[in-house]
Amino acid sequence: MSVESLFPRLEALLPKVQKPIQYVGGELNSTVKDWDDASVRWALMYPDAYEVGLPNQGVAILYEILNELPDTLAERTYSVWPDLEALMRAEGVPQFTVDGHRPVRAFDVLGVSFSTELGYTNMLTALDLAGIPLAAVDRGDDDPIVLAGGHAAFNPEPIADFLDAAVLGDGEQIAIAISEVVREWKSEGSPGGRDELLMRLAESGGVYVPKFYDVEYHPDGRIKRVAPNRPNVPWRVHKHTVMDLDEWPYPKKPLVPLAETVHERFSVEIFRGCTRGCRFCQAGMITRPVRERSITTIGAMVENGIRESGFNEVGLLSLSSADHSEIGAVAKGLADRYEGTNTSLSLPSTRVDAFNIDLANEFSRNGRRSGLTFAPEGGSERMRKVINKMVTEEDLIRTVTTAYSQGWRQVKLYFMCGLPTERDEDVMGIADLAKKVIKAGREATGSRDIRCTVSIGGFVPKPHTPFQWAAQADHETVDRRLRALRESLRGDREYGKAIGYRYHDGKPSIVEGLLSRGDRRVGAVIRAVWEDGGRFDGWSEHFSYERWMAAAEKTGVGVDWYTTREREENEVLPWDHLDAGLDREWLWQDWKDAVNETEVEDCRWTPCYDCGVCPTMGTEIQIGPTGKKLLPLTVV
């Protein structure tokens, strides 16, 4: 039975809201398939505004892969701003997709991709607008399966009450497998209702269904154990890893936004995973092992993506793009091919020790020289040893001096505040480093036209990292250190005006810490915040620390217990039954090494350090070089 478009009802509301074009759909390369021709229907959500959600690679890739299946359709939905939310509630218009403007509740699966935990309240808004019960236990056979993915899904326990299921890791293959399970279940007449469907998903070991696990607690509040409550449900759920990225060259037809978005470029992921071993970095830990795309696939994806989208900027993405074993050949090949056109190339922030000026020159050859971004992360040598960011002060000064002498005038340095074992002098070291950068740049160029921007974020300990046991710094300490740093930079008459300073205060980090390492009891806080009007918590103008603290007090949840408390080795952590491939004993040893300021090398270039990923998955690190050429030598 066909589902009618909500657009006639929605269209009447659009003149009354800001940025109405973000709700219209019809972007280049978007897909609207016939409803009745599909047996499995997905609504894919990025729980933020269109301008943030549309460039998201994860959603875009799944959207394309699922729509390539003949019996499956996928449409996108994003969070609506409060002005439209109010009108939708007043007029009875439910949460809709931007492709076919179909009601989200009519789909079989609502897949929500969480890059950050601060999108949880937006998910509740979408569920409520869609007419889907917030609590999974209250849903019936006519409601879609609410499925979480993305990095935050590696600890979905704080939103377990709102989820039917969660998937860990890469989504390409498991999304197709889930579609097949749903299709088969529906073709059999949906036997056993949604419970039977969830059971079929859970039995595979590749989909986590929270309702099939019971959590027991010690009297002091620590978790005693997490155990399956039904037969045939595995004790641990494993992550999914796509081993051959060349077999999945997506997106092939990149979506081109109608409204302004945070990134307007064609992005190619040149490899997944990172073994640099930065102890704060959840993304690096949970995406192991390293898997490179070949130089020929990268070239073909760039050529195809530009042709299909018309974008004039190409971003080569990964957690550390300059570490690709053939990055020099990739950069030169692409620069040669697109020289003289309006196509420019970009890398995200570059590791100080992976940067070289030849690489930078290739990437700027066909476009303007924008600023360079480096991430030392820690302000002192000692701090960088703690976090295993093996960058010396000499490395940084040498790198930025080279950049300034080659014509760059703007360098951005990213740091974190509130790291484990951090002292006041570690943070004040950021000021000293920034001043030395300016001094070196002036000496190298003979010019005072040199700028350096210092950007600082509050550190949040994350699951599946060596810092998962660490105490988070309280926001008063973080804010005090950041104020002192600001005064040191601004009060310097010689260098102060050449150094920009951007920072985030410590309060949002505490809330993120509560959500990232929380267990199922934190769900009550999330719901109370949402009921009190919490929306778009990742946006500073909408975030309210006071609202979160009031909700925690109302629900009896101790924020400090989840954030500023250090965990013991044998404590059961809320995510211990979810397997990211990492050996728990190895993580604990790395935490001890951090406290002892001991560095660990990158296992791409040294013997194995037994993190557990490769033997667990029966695989190994996959890197080149291939020795192949990027593209034919004919210039576009």
Side-chain angles (χ1 to χ4, degrees):
M1 180 177 169
S2 291
V3 173
E4 290 189 10
S5 170
L6 295 167
F7 193 73
R9 295 166 61 193
L10 175 68
E11 189 176 21
L13 309 180
L14 295 183
K16 305 173 185 178
V17 302
Q18 291 187 318
K19 299 182 181 177
I21 195 170
Q22 65 187 306
Y23 308 117
V24 171
E27 303 97 337
L28 178 65
N29 294 327
S30 62
T31 303
V32 181
K33 297 174 79 170
D34 189 283
W35 185 267
D36 294 329
D37 287 346
S39 56
V40 181
R41 306 173 183 99
W42 288 68
L44 298 172
M45 181 179 194
Y46 191 84
D48 208 323
Y50 176 94
E51 61 201 81
V52 178
L54 185 128
N56 180 260
Q57 282 281 94
V59 171
I61 289 170
L62 293 184
Y63 175 75
E64 200 169 310
I65 287 172
L66 290 168
N67 276 319
E68 283 184 354
L69 301 176
D71 64 344
T72 302
L73 71 79
E75 299 190 1
R76 297 162 294 128
T77 186
Y78 304 102
S79 296
V80 299
W81 285 109
D83 57 356
L84 182 57
E85 180 192 341
L87 290 169
M88 288 167 66
R89 292 190 185 280
E91 299 299 325
V93 176
Q95 181 80 18
F96 57 89
T97 59
V98 296
D99 298 289
H101 295 95
R102 289 154 171 160
V104 165
R105 188 170 182 264
F107 288 77
D108 299 307
V109 183
L110 170 59
V112 190
S113 179
F114 291 104
S115 299
T116 169
E117 298 85 358
L118 293 174
Y120 290 162
T121 50
N122 281 355
M123 177 186 70
L124 296 190
T125 302
L127 291 174
D128 191 58
L129 283 172
I132 301 168
L134 296 188
V137 70
D138 295 331
R139 292 177 196 144
D141 291 350
D142 291 335
D143 293 306
I145 298 297
V146 179
L147 174 73
H151 286 185
F154 276 80
N155 177 27
E157 294 301 277
I159 51 172
D161 289 347
F162 316 121
L163 296 178
D164 293 299
V167 168
L168 280 61
D170 299 336
E172 288 94 336
Q173 292 160 321
I174 187 61
I176 295 173
I178 290 171
S179 292
E180 179 61 24
V181 172
V182 174
R183 185 197 61 75
E184 188 175 282
W185 172 75
K186 289 179 69 176
S187 71
E188 295 171 6
S190 308
R194 69 190 290 114
D195 233 37
E196 168 67 18
L197 174 56
L198 290 171
M199 194 66 197
R200 292 186 185 189
L201 293 171
E203 285 177 337
S204 68
V207 178
Y208 174 53
V209 179
K211 70 180 287 185
F212 294 158
Y213 294 79
D214 291 334
V215 183
E216 301 172 25
Y217 301 94
H218 289 291
D220 65 1
R222 291 176 301 121
I223 294 174
K224 186 176 182 181
R225 72 170 192 162
V226 180
N229 55 32
R230 302 197 185 190
N232 301 322
V233 173
W235 280 83
R236 300 197 80 197
V237 178
H238 304 284
K239 75 168 181 180
H240 297 270
T241 302
V242 171
M243 290 312 304
D244 188 350
L245 293 184
D246 285 350
E247 290 184 357
W248 302 88
Y250 295 90
K252 297 175 182 175
K253 292 181 175 292
L255 290 160
V256 181
L258 292 176
E260 185 178 2
T261 58
V262 291
H263 299 300
E264 296 192 351
R265 64 188 178 207
F266 174 56
S267 297
V268 176
E269 188 181 21
I270 63 174
F271 70 85
R272 281 186 197 169
C274 181
T275 48
R276 286 282 188 169
C278 301
R279 294 175 173 127
F280 58 85
C281 181
Q282 184 190 45
M285 294 291 170
I286 63 177
T287 59
R288 295 181 176 202
V290 173
R291 292 144 287 148
E292 289 189 352
R293 272 204 170 99
S294 69
I295 185 171
T296 47
T297 299
I298 293 169
M301 288 179 69
V302 170
E303 182 181 31
N304 178 73
I306 292 172
R307 181 177 62 248
E308 294 289 346
S309 68
F311 282 125
N312 59 13
E313 181 182 347
V314 177
L316 302 183
L317 306 185
S318 76
L319 293 173
S320 185
S321 292
D323 284 339
H324 191 286
S325 61
E326 295 185 292
I327 188 63
V330 169
K332 185 178 188 311
L334 290 174
D336 285 347
R337 182 163 180 80
Y338 296 103
E339 187 167 16
T341 72
N342 65 346
T343 301
S344 62
L345 308 171
S346 66
L347 276 181
S349 66
T350 308
R351 286 183 59 93
V352 172
D353 51 345
F355 175 86
N356 68 71
I357 205 67
D358 293 333
L359 185 63
N361 282 330
E362 293 293 2
F363 277 97
S364 64
R365 195 202 308 178
N366 205 36
R368 62 184 180 84
R369 286 196 170 182
S370 56
L372 294 170
T373 300
F374 301 104
E377 310 290 0
S380 68
E381 200 92 12
R382 186 193 76 83
M383 201 71 254
R384 291 190 289 276
K385 288 181 179 178
V386 170
I387 63 178
N388 206 44
K389 190 82 174 187
M390 292 178 284
V391 174
T392 65
E393 183 177 298
E394 291 73 25
D395 289 336
L396 180 63
I397 298 302
R398 182 172 58 251
T399 297
V400 298
T401 299
T402 304
Y404 285 135
S405 65
Q406 291 292 316
W408 274 269
R409 290 293 174 263
Q410 172 73 36
V411 168
K412 182 177 180 181
L413 302 177
Y414 182 80
F415 298 90
M416 285 185 289
C417 182
L419 289 159
T421 79
E422 183 181 271
R423 307 165 191 153
D424 290 359
E425 57 264 31
D426 294 314
V427 177
M428 297 308 294
I430 296 172
D432 295 335
L433 204 53
K435 293 170 190 176
K436 289 176 181 177
V437 163
I438 294 296
K439 182 174 184 291
R442 288 175 176 175
E443 290 174 353
T445 62
S447 168
R448 296 181 68 86
D449 181 25
I450 294 294
R451 292 279 300 166
C452 170
T453 299
V454 171
S455 182
I456 306 182
F459 169 68
V460 179
K462 294 286 185 175
H464 307 286
T465 71
F467 290 160
Q468 64 183 359
W469 291 279
Q472 185 174 352
D474 60 79
H475 72 85
E476 293 89 352
T477 299
V478 170
D479 289 345
R480 176 179 59 76
R481 288 173 176 163
L482 291 177
R483 283 195 300 270
L485 177 60
R486 180 184 62 194
E487 290 164 9
S488 174
L489 290 171
R490 288 183 175 175
D492 192 293
R493 298 182 64 183
E494 176 66 15
Y495 300 110
K497 289 185 179 179
I499 302 172
Y501 183 49
R502 298 175 186 166
Y503 69 94
H504 303 286
D505 65 66
K507 289 180 177 178
S509 297
I510 289 294
V511 172
E512 188 179 340
L514 169 69
L515 299 177
S516 70
R517 291 196 291 175
D519 53 39
R520 295 187 182 186
R521 294 168 289 191
V522 174
V525 182
I526 298 169
R527 182 161 186 164
V529 166
W530 176 79
E531 289 172 344
D532 192 36
R535 308 286 191 275
F536 290 94
D537 288 293
W539 296 68
S540 57
E541 60 266 42
H542 294 278
F543 174 80
S544 168
Y545 180 76
E546 291 70 28
R547 180 188 286 134
W548 279 95
M549 294 306 105
E553 186 175 352
K554 175 183 175 183
T555 55
V557 171
V559 174
D560 290 348
W561 195 83
Y562 286 101
T563 55
T564 57
R565 175 180 69 92
E566 185 171 324
R567 280 74 164 161
E568 296 296 323
E569 179 182 7
N570 60 357
E571 178 173 340
V572 176
L573 303 174
W575 51 89
D576 275 348
H577 58 299
L578 303 172
D579 185 8
L582 297 155
D583 184 75
R584 198 178 195 272
E585 287 72 27
W586 177 83
L587 286 172
W588 176 259
Q589 182 56 51
D590 209 35
W591 165 229
K592 296 290 98 181
D593 286 344
V595 174
N596 294 326
E597 301 169 18
T598 302
E599 296 172 314
V600 177
E601 296 281 349
D602 185 339
C603 65
R604 260 174 295 189
W605 328 117
T606 62
C608 174
Y609 278 89
D610 296 324
C611 75
V613 168
C614 291
T616 297
M617 300 176 59
T619 184
E620 59 186 18
I621 289 170
Q622 296 184 355
I623 59 172
T626 63
K628 295 181 179 179
K629 295 288 186 186
L630 177 69
L631 287 168
L633 293 177
T634 52
V635 176
V636 173

